[in-house]
Amino acid sequence: MDLESADIEHYSRQMLLFGRNGQYRLKNSSIVIVGAGGIGSTCILYLAGGGVGNIHIIDDDQVEINNLHRQIIFKYDNQGTSKAKTAMEAAIGLNPDINVTYNQLRIDTSNVESLIERHSIVIDCSDNMATRYILNDACVLKHKILLSGSAIGWDGQATVFPNIQLPSSSSSLNISKEVMNLTKVACYRCLYPNPTRNNTSASCNSIGVLGPVPGVIGSILAAEACKIVISGLPSLNEATTSADTNNINNSKSNNTGNSNKKDSDLSFSPEIPVAVGKQLYYDCFGSNFMTFTLPRKRDNCLVCGHITSNNHTNTSSSEFALIKSPADTLTWLQSVGALGVCTNSSNNNSSDSSSFDSSVFKSMNVKEFHSLLKANETNAISNLPPSSASLASYVSACVLIDVRPEKEFEMVSLAHYFDQINRCTLSHSTFLRLYEQNKEDCISNGSEHESSSKSNLLYVNIPYPTMKDEKISRNLHRLLLSKTSESKLTVMCLCRRGISSRLASVEVYNSINDMKKEMESVHIEVDVVNVNGGLEAYRLVNKQFPKY
C-alpha cells in the first residue's frame, strides 16, 4: 500500500528523519503487542501515532483503578472494561487511518502460533514468566523478531531478540558477516534457562512500580520497533525462513543497504542503527541508562541449541532440540512448576505453603477477625456475636503481627481505621528502636505515648523476611514475655493475602518454643493464629479498607 498525500502531511515530522521509504515500510508493517498494561499501553499509542499500518493487541484483563497511574491509554471511566478492546479504541481514536484489532484472551501454548503467525514483529509486554517463555519459544521456532520489556519498582529493561536463522540451503549462499552475527544472538531462554523463585513471583502487584518507568520502557520498545521496520530487518527475517534461494534474491531489494553489498545473497546494513541483540536497562532511581550486548546462543538451549548445531558446530542437534513446538513448551513449564506461579490465580504463592506443617497454628476467617477488631475497639467482649464467643479469649491478650513489608504497612494498615489499634501500634522501625533502647515498658504497653490505652490488642509490624534475624527474634521474645502476666496469649499473623502470614505463623510458633526452652519459668498458654486470606479477603467484610 503506497503513501498518499495525507500520509505525508500526517507523518512529515518523522519522515524528515528517514524519508518516504521508511514511512512506506511502517504503513505496511504488522506488529502484535502482548499485554496492554503499563508498558504495552504506551507502546501501542506510539506505534499507532507513528503510522504502523497493522497493530494487533492481546490482553485478557480488565481495567482497574490501580492501573491508571501507569497505564495511560485508559481513562477513569474505562474501569471494568476490556483492556484489549479499550486500547484498540484509543489507538484508532489517535490514528483512524491504521488497522487495529484485538483479542481478549491470554496467550498460551494452544493459541500462540496462530496469534503471531501473520505478524513480523512480536512485542512482549506481558507480566508473567510463563507467557515470556511461551512467546520466546514460538518466536524462535517461527523466526519472529521479539522485543521484550519489563518494569518493576524503579527499574525497567527492553531487549531485542532477532531470532534470525539460516535456511537449510545456506551452504550455497554468500552470507554477510552482519547477518551471520545476527544468527548467533541469544534468545530469551538462553539468558534465563530456568525460571527462578525471584523472576516468577516478582510483579508490580507485589512489589510496586513508579508509573513513568513502564512508560519509558514502552516508549523505547515502540521506538526500536519502528527503527527495525524502517531498517528492513523483517524482510531479511522472512527471507531466511525460506529455503528457496530465488525468494532470498527477490527479497534483497527490500533490505536497506543491500545495493552496497552485491556480492552477498544475505546482508544487512541499515541506514539507521538498531538495538538488535541489545538490552537497555533503565535505572530510574539513579537516573541511569545502560546498554548491554546479548551473548551468543547457548549450545544447550532447549529451543535454539539445535540451531547452533546446524550452523557448522560439532554439537548433535538431537541432543538439545527438546522444544520443537508449543506443546513441548507446555510440557517443560509443567515439569519446572512454572505455570502455577505465573497466572493471576489467588494461589500464586501456593508453593510457599507446601513446605511446612500447618497443624502448629490455628486459622481464623476474616468475619471472625473483624468481630475481634470491633470488640477490641469498644472494649466490649460481650458484644461479640454468639457464633464468635470463642474469640473472647483472643481479645483478652493478643499480639497482632502484620508481616507485610514496611512500606506496605506504612501505606495502609488497620491502625488507620481503628482508634484503639492506632494507640497500640508499633511500626517496624519503632520495634527495632525499642530493642536498641531496651525499653521493655514501652513494648509492654505497645506505645511510647499511650500507655494508658484500653486496648487489649498490640499491633506490630514485623516483615516476614526479617523474622529469622537474631535481633528481631530476641525482640519478639521480649515482647511476648511482657505478656506473661496473662494466663493465655494469642499471637495472630496477618499479611496481604494470607500466604506469608502462614509462613510467619510457623516462625512465631518455633520462636515461642525456643523461648520456653530458654526460660523454664515461662508457663503460659500461647495460641498462634493465621488470618486466612489476609487483608485482601478482609476487604470483603470491611469495605472501608482499600484494595491495593
Side-chain angles (χ1 to χ4, degrees):
M1 188 183 299
D2 202 0
L3 295 180
E4 301 175 359
S5 297
D7 294 323
I8 296 172
E9 186 173 347
H10 190 163
Y11 307 111
S12 59
R13 293 300 181 271
Q14 66 184 30
M15 288 177 66
L16 292 172
L17 301 176
F18 48 72
R20 185 184 185 97
N21 192 41
Q23 192 62 49
Y24 170 82
R25 286 176 171 166
L26 287 172
K27 185 173 183 177
N28 290 277
S29 63
S30 185
I31 298 177
V32 57
I33 298 98
V34 180
I39 296 173
S41 63
T42 310
C43 186
I44 290 165
L45 288 175
Y46 274 113
L47 292 176
V52 171
N54 299 279
I55 298 174
H56 189 67
I57 304 167
I58 301 173
D59 198 304
D60 68 331
D61 205 0
Q62 293 185 330
V63 181
E64 297 182 7
I65 192 169
N66 57 27
N67 300 148
L68 301 181
H69 84 287
R70 66 192 185 281
Q71 300 177 15
I72 60 172
I73 201 169
F74 307 120
K75 299 178 180 178
Y76 189 87
D77 293 340
N78 293 143
Q79 293 177 64
T81 64
S82 160
K83 284 187 178 181
K85 182 180 180 181
T86 305
M88 178 198 71
E89 293 169 347
I92 293 174
L94 178 64
N95 190 347
D97 297 328
I98 62 174
N99 177 44
V100 187
T101 54
Y102 79 96
N103 280 113
Q104 185 177 352
L105 49 76
R106 178 177 285 265
I107 284 272
D108 58 36
T109 54
S110 68
N111 59 29
V112 63
E113 287 189 315
S114 60
L115 289 171
I116 70 172
E117 183 67 39
R118 65 184 181 87
H119 306 283
S120 57
I121 296 177
V122 178
I123 303 181
D124 179 7
C125 304
S126 63
D127 60 358
N128 71 84
M129 196 59 61
T131 300
R132 294 191 183 279
Y133 282 108
I134 291 170
L135 282 174
N136 173 77
D137 294 355
C139 287
V140 171
L141 296 172
K142 290 293 184 179
H143 304 195
K144 301 291 184 181
I145 300 169
L146 174 65
L147 282 71
S148 177
S150 62
I152 193 166
W154 300 90
D155 306 326
Q157 62 184 30
T159 314
V160 181
F161 302 97
N163 294 325
I164 292 179
Q165 303 165 22
L166 295 180
S168 57
S169 62
S170 61
S171 58
S172 63
L173 298 173
N174 188 6
I175 302 170
S176 72
K177 179 181 178 181
E178 292 82 4
V179 174
M180 285 300 297
N181 288 338
L182 289 176
T183 65
K184 298 175 183 176
V185 175
C187 72
Y188 181 87
R189 186 183 285 276
C190 290
L191 299 183
Y192 311 103
N194 292 294
T196 64
R197 183 75 199 148
N198 287 337
N199 64 24
T200 54
S201 60
S203 69
C204 296
N205 191 31
S206 59
I207 295 178
V209 65
L210 183 68
V213 173
V216 170
I217 301 303
S219 299
I220 290 171
L221 291 176
E224 292 303 325
C226 289
K227 286 162 61 182
I228 288 170
V229 170
I230 295 165
S231 73
L233 182 60
S235 299
L236 174 64
N237 220 352
E238 290 167 8
T240 59
T241 62
S242 172
D244 186 349
T245 306
N246 289 329
N247 286 347
I248 292 176
N249 289 332
N250 290 336
S251 73
K252 288 169 63 178
S253 60
N254 293 325
N255 191 4
T256 302
N258 279 347
S259 59
N260 297 327
K261 295 204 172 190
K262 296 179 180 179
D263 57 332
S264 296
D265 294 303
L266 285 174
S267 63
F268 180 65
S269 299
E271 295 176 357
I272 59 174
V274 292
V276 176
K278 300 288 182 69
Q279 183 177 84
L280 190 147
Y281 173 76
Y282 174 47
D283 169 18
C284 175
F285 195 80
S287 303
N288 291 316
F289 282 94
M290 290 173 280
T291 303
F292 306 95
T293 300
L294 297 184
R296 292 167 63 101
K297 295 180 185 294
R298 295 167 59 102
D299 287 343
N300 60 349
C301 176
L302 297 183
V303 69
C304 72
H306 64 289
I307 298 169
T308 304
S309 67
N310 288 338
N311 292 340
H312 317 295
T313 69
N314 294 323
T315 307
S316 169
S317 62
S318 61
E319 183 179 356
F320 298 120
L322 301 181
I323 294 179
K324 297 181 179 180
S325 70
D328 294 333
T329 303
L330 176 60
T331 301
W332 176 83
L333 287 168
Q334 291 170 335
S335 70
V336 299
L339 287 176
V341 296
C342 300
T343 65
N344 286 334
S345 168
S346 60
N347 296 323
N348 279 0
N349 297 313
S350 57
S351 59
D352 282 342
S353 58
S354 61
S355 58
F356 61 83
D357 180 10
S358 60
S359 64
V360 302
F361 59 84
K362 299 179 180 180
S363 295
M364 176 182 289
N365 64 47
V366 290
K367 287 185 178 179
E368 292 175 320
F369 181 62
H370 189 51
S371 296
L372 184 151
L373 297 180
K374 289 194 295 183
N376 178 75
E377 187 71 5
T378 59
N379 202 30
I381 298 175
S382 58
N383 290 340
L384 284 170
S387 61
S388 300
S390 61
L391 295 179
S393 60
Y394 289 164
V395 181
S396 62
C398 180
V399 177
L400 175 57
I401 302 177
D402 192 323
V403 302
R404 293 177 298 153
E406 193 170 3
K407 291 294 184 184
E408 283 189 40
F409 182 82
E410 180 187 2
M411 179 175 70
V412 56
S413 75
L414 295 171
H416 298 136
Y417 300 91
F418 293 92
D419 248 3
Q420 292 298 327
I421 292 178
N422 183 46
R423 291 172 181 165
C424 285
T425 294
L426 289 175
S427 67
H428 187 58
S429 57
T430 302
F431 183 65
L432 290 174
R433 179 162 50 84
L434 293 179
Y435 172 82
E436 296 294 343
Q437 296 176 355
N438 197 30
K439 292 186 178 179
E440 295 187 15
D441 57 325
C442 293
I443 293 181
S444 176
N445 292 319
S447 171
E448 291 179 287
H449 306 293
E450 297 289 345
S451 58
S452 61
S453 170
K454 297 184 298 179
S455 177
N456 296 302
L457 186 150
L458 173 61
Y459 184 39
V460 57
N461 176 221
I462 308 177
Y464 168 67
T466 71
M467 282 191 161
K468 293 183 182 295
D469 181 87
E470 183 180 358
K471 179 163 59 174
I472 298 297
S473 180
R474 287 181 181 176
N475 212 15
L476 179 59
H477 284 185
R478 291 176 58 247
L479 186 150
L480 297 176
L481 283 171
S482 70
K483 296 289 186 178
T484 55
S485 58
E486 305 289 343
S487 60
K488 184 174 181 180
L489 173 65
T490 301
V491 180
M492 305 180 69
C493 292
L494 173 72
C495 69
R496 186 176 178 184
R497 297 190 177 93
I499 303 298
S500 295
S501 59
R502 298 183 71 188
L503 297 167
S505 296
V506 176
E507 291 295 332
V508 171
Y509 176 84
N510 293 334
S511 181
I512 291 170
N513 282 341
D514 291 342
M515 180 178 67
K516 288 182 176 180
K517 290 177 183 177
E518 292 175 8
M519 303 182 65
E520 296 181 359
S521 60
V522 175
H523 300 288
I524 181 173
E525 183 182 351
V526 182
D527 279 335
V528 180
V529 180
N530 175 62
V531 181
N532 288 341
L535 290 171
E536 196 161 284
Y538 176 67
R539 184 176 178 272
L540 299 176
V541 296
N542 185 355
K543 298 298 184 182
Q544 287 185 319
F545 200 85
K547 180 181 178 181
Y548 69 97

